[in-house]
């Protein structure tokens, strides 16, 4: 089955570049369905009009929420967009306009299925007809939205990261377990997991092409990003929701918001989570009030079982050396996640690449239709926790064990009230002084 898929990335990936080793031009339009074909027994997963239509509700109608809804439509037959929620009317209107331009035939959004305010997601989830949620609100809201979506019986595509603190991570793990019980699918926006070059590299690593894994490095170093200054008319809460990249309670800081992609690849390669995390970082260049309370650079060591160490760096400062990459080192060679192996068994990926932002929906929808829904919830919760522990270690200056972070940390960054109004935030963290909670 050959289909043409249109790459619809609003910003070419993670804000300033997708970091997946593919350019927009590389989004070769071959069969996105092919990647799942091997996973679904023949005869299953075929779309029968009507009964297994996918009716999408979008939570968080920004660049990625809109882009992911378009990707879902382009991924599979029988996908319609039926409801939208964003706290802000201007964002919702912009999203609807883009959807109508890009996938007009699939847009079935009626005026009474558009919701704003902070709790409009509850109204959207109450629509029985919706069976597929795209949730791409700022990460601090993800645990709440996921829990509500699973309780409402919906399949979920959720953007990464999926929490900003250990309390949120535990909530996502619990919601994912509930989804499993209810037979609901969850796929996360870690698109490398659905990208051919990564899949083929990982298969080779796991088959022993580079021997026993002894170390690694991963990076998300880039320039600066968009920022929204507070106006007199904006409450704290409105500003935090609009300028969400820059508050640890909304984004988790950039180590969580962006670098989670590369950390997830490390967990994938090692087939494990780290046992210990120690990191450092600071806020050197982005010090103005509009940059909220996050850092602009981090360096973290993740120690995996057997004492294997992975060095991670991330930076968002313009005018510096950029690098977005993952490298794993073994006793017989090395591998780059983007499809290159050196050493005893050299290899380079040379196939056609399929847009992984589309394939993640192809895979989820085919799995739902086959009655075997994918559930990536626990895995992305764990990768999110790795990044959170890196941030917590850098903020406090303390080394943190995985076990403690997963089971005992009480850190909960959620605001006192989900209301438009005042919302004081923590001061910028100072290592050695900021307490580990
Ligand atoms: N997988 C990827 O490559 C990739 C790329 C870009 C973004 N992302 C992720 O997607 C998510 C959204 O990023 P974006 O680039 O679309 O940002 P964006 O700012 O364009 O969109 C975020 C939207 O969420 C809305 N919002 C704010 N508070 C909300 C709330 N409480 N409930 C619902 N919606 C709320 C905002 O109004 C905005 O429209 C983030 O988690 C980000 O990390 C992933």
């Amino acid at each position: 089955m050959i289909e043409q898929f249109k790459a619809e990335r609003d910003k070419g990936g993670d804000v300033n570049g997708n970091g997946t080793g593919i350019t927009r031009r590389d989004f070769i339009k071959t069969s996105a369905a092919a990647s799942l074909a091997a996973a679904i027994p023949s005869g299953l997963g075929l779309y029968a009009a009507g009964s297994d239509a996918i009716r999408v509700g979008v939570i968080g109608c920004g660049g990625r929420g809109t882009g992911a809804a378009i990707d879902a439509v382009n991924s599979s037959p029988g996908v319609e967009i039926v409801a939208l929620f964003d706290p802000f009317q201007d964002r919702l209107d912009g999203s609807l306009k883009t959807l109508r331009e890009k996938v007009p035939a699939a847009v079935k959004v009626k005026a009474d299925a558009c919701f704003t305010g902070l709790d409009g997601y509850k109204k959207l989830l109450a629509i029985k007809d919706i069976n597929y949620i795209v949730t791409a609100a700022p990460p601090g809201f993800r645990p709440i939205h996921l829990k509500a979506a699973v309780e409402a019986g919906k399949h979920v595509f959720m953007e990464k990261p999926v929490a900003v603190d250990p309390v949120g991570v535990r909530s996502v793990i619990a919601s994912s377990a509930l989804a499993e019980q209810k037979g609901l699918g969850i796929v996360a926006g870690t698109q490398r997991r659905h990208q051919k070059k990564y899949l083929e590299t990982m298969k080779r690593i796991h088959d022993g092409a580079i021997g026993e894994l002894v170390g690694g490095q991963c990076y998300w170093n880039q320039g600066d990003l968009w920022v929204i200054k507070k106006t007199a008319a904006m409450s704290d809460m409105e500003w935090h929701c609009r300028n969400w990249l820059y508050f640890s309670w909304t984004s988790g800081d950039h180590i969580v918001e962006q670098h989670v992609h590369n950390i997830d690849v490390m967990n994938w390669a090692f087939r494990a989570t780290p046992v210990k995390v120690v990191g450092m970082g600071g806020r050197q260049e982005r010090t103005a009030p509009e940059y909220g309370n996050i850092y602009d650079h981090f360096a973290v060591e993740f120690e995996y079982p057997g004492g294997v160490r992975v060095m991670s760096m991330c930076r968002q400062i313009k005018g510096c050396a950029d690098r977005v990459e993952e490298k794993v080192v073994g006793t017989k060679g090395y591998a780059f996640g983007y499809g290159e192996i050196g050493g005893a068994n050299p290899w380079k990926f040379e196939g056609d690449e399929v847009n992984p932002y589309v394939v993640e929906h192809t895979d989820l929808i085919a799995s739902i239709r086959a009655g075997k829904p994918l559930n990536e919830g626990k895995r992305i919760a764990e990768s999110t926790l790795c990044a959170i522990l890196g941030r917590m270690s850098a903020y406090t200056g303390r080394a943190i064990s995985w076990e403690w972070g997963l089971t005992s940390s009480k850190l909960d960054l959620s605001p006192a009230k989900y209301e438009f109004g005042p919302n004081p935030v923590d001061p910028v963290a100072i290592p050695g002084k900021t307490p580990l909670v």
Side-chain angles (χ1 to χ4, degrees), residues 266-312:
M266 288 295 155
N267 287 355
W268 187 9
F270 287 93
R271 289 184 281 197
T273 51
V275 290
K276 200 162 112 191
V277 180
V278 61
M280 61 181 71
R283 175 179 163 107
Q284 190 155 10
E285 198 264 344
R286 291 192 310 198
T287 54
E290 58 264 32
Y291 296 112
N293 63 355
I294 68 166
Y295 281 7
D296 55 21
H297 64 282
F298 291 88
V300 180
E301 178 193 272
F302 293 99
E303 188 174 319
Y304 283 82
V308 173
R309 290 177 181 180
V310 168
M311 274 306 303
S312 118

Side-chain angles (χ1 to χ4, degrees), residues 154-358:
K154 319 291 189 193
H155 302 288
V156 178
F157 170 80
M158 61 177 171
E159 263 309 338
K160 46 44 67 176
V162 296
V164 296
D165 50 39
V167 169
V169 166
R170 291 194 279 272
S171 164
V172 169
I173 291 173
S175 298
S176 304
L178 182 62
E180 191 82 45
Q181 279 172 29
K182 294 177 101 172
L184 298 170
I186 299 179
V187 158
T190 30
Q191 62 275 1
R192 287 162 176 73
R193 297 267 187 168
H194 299 262
Q195 186 173 353
K196 267 192 190 171
K197 52 179 80 166
Y198 277 89
L199 286 158
E200 291 196 17
T201 305
M202 283 301 163
K203 184 174 182 321
R204 285 173 168 77
I205 293 173
H206 294 157
D207 287 347
I210 62 169
E212 193 188 335
L213 305 190
V214 292
Q217 299 90 36
C218 64
Y219 312 85
W220 195 301
N221 295 336
Q222 68 155 77
D224 56 355
L225 296 171
W226 57 266
V227 62
I228 295 172
K229 291 192 180 180
K230 190 169 188 301
T231 64
M234 278 184 202
S235 65
D236 289 347
M237 183 59 97
E238 175 173 353
W239 184 45
H240 297 172
C241 288
R242 288 189 183 272
N243 193 35
W244 62 270
L245 285 177
Y246 301 102
F247 300 95
S248 53
W249 84 266
T250 44
S251 72
D253 207 320
H254 66 100
I255 185 173
V256 180
E257 198 273 318
Q258 275 192 323
H259 194 33
V260 67
H261 278 301
N262 321 99
I263 294 169
D264 180 63
V265 170
M266 288 295 155
N267 287 355
W268 187 9
F270 287 93
R271 289 184 281 197
T273 51
V275 290
K276 200 162 112 191
V277 180
V278 61
M280 61 181 71
R283 175 179 163 107
Q284 190 155 10
E285 198 264 344
R286 291 192 310 198
T287 54
E290 58 264 32
Y291 296 112
N293 63 355
I294 68 166
Y295 281 7
D296 55 21
H297 64 282
F298 291 88
V300 180
E301 178 193 272
F302 293 99
E303 188 174 319
Y304 283 82
V308 173
R309 290 177 181 180
V310 168
M311 274 306 303
S312 118
M313 282 183 209
C314 58
R315 175 171 62 196
Q316 288 183 348
I317 302 180
K318 63 173 179 254
C320 303
D322 293 342
R323 179 182 287 173
V324 180
E325 189 177 272
E326 310 90 10
K327 183 181 183 189
V328 185
V329 182
T331 49
K332 292 189 195 160
Y334 60 87
F336 288 102
Y338 55 73
E340 189 178 326
I341 289 180
N345 299 295
W347 168 81
K348 247 188 183 166
F349 176 81
E350 276 171 0
D352 282 346
E353 191 54 274
V354 181
N355 179 354
Y357 291 94
V358 173

Side-chain angles (χ1 to χ4, degrees), residues 9-11 13-15 18 20 59-66 85-88 91-92 117-118 121 135-139 141-142 145 157 159-161 189-192 220 226 240-242 244-245 257-258 261 357 360 418:
R9 282 297 295 135
D10 51 298
K11 297 166 189 160
D14 248 304
V15 193
N18 58 50
T20 56
I59 293 180
C61 304
R64 195 74 272 275
T66 310
F85 159 61
D86 196 281
F88 307 113
R91 299 304 307 249
L92 195 147
L118 279 174
Y121 69 93
T135 170
F141 296 96
R142 197 91 66 244
H145 293 158
F157 170 80
E159 263 309 338
K160 46 44 67 176
T190 30
Q191 62 275 1
R192 287 162 176 73
W220 195 301
W226 57 266
H240 297 172
C241 288
R242 288 189 183 272
W244 62 270
L245 285 177
E257 198 273 318
Q258 275 192 323
H261 278 301
Y357 291 94
E360 50 197 7
Y418 287 100

Side-chain angles (χ1 to χ4, degrees), residues 15-90:
V15 193
N16 253 7
N18 58 50
T20 56
I22 48 175
T23 65
R24 284 174 211 224
R25 241 176 304 130
D26 288 332
F27 286 174
I28 304 290
K29 292 92 180 168
T30 52
S31 170
S35 85
L36 193 82
I40 302 293
S42 84
L44 293 175
L46 297 177
Y47 168 65
S51 60
D52 57 359
I54 296 290
R55 287 177 288 267
V56 180
V58 184
I59 293 180
C61 304
R64 195 74 272 275
T66 310
I70 294 167
D71 292 335
V73 169
N74 286 334
S75 77
S76 317
V79 181
E80 293 177 346
I81 303 164
V82 297
L84 302 177
F85 159 61
D86 196 281
F88 307 113
Q89 190 70 50
D90 57 307

